[in-house]
Amino acid sequence: IFIKPNMLKELLKSKGVKQKWLANKIGVSEVSVSNWVKGKSEPTLKNYGKISKILNIPLTELTS
């Protein structure tokens, strides 16, 4: 699974939330979320599910 380029950044912006908030909700470091946003790393499958649930979007919207 690969996160779509800029998708997470755009979702956070559209929901009006910060990377730090998402990191706290998921239980990961802010650096991890930053790396996902920049495309430097990918969330685990479990974290993809958490992102989907927390941001209230289908998992398919996150992935390519």
Side-chain angles (χ1 to χ4, degrees), residues 7-26 30 33 37 51 54-56:
M7 177 56 70
L8 187 54
K9 182 178 182 178
E10 292 301 317
L11 279 169
L12 293 174
K13 185 177 178 182
S14 72
K15 299 283 184 175
V17 298
K18 303 284 184 192
Q19 291 178 22
K20 183 176 184 176
W21 177 86
L22 182 62
N24 288 335
K25 289 294 234 180
I26 295 174
E30 193 174 348
V33 175
V37 167
I51 293 166
I54 291 165
L55 296 180
N56 195 30

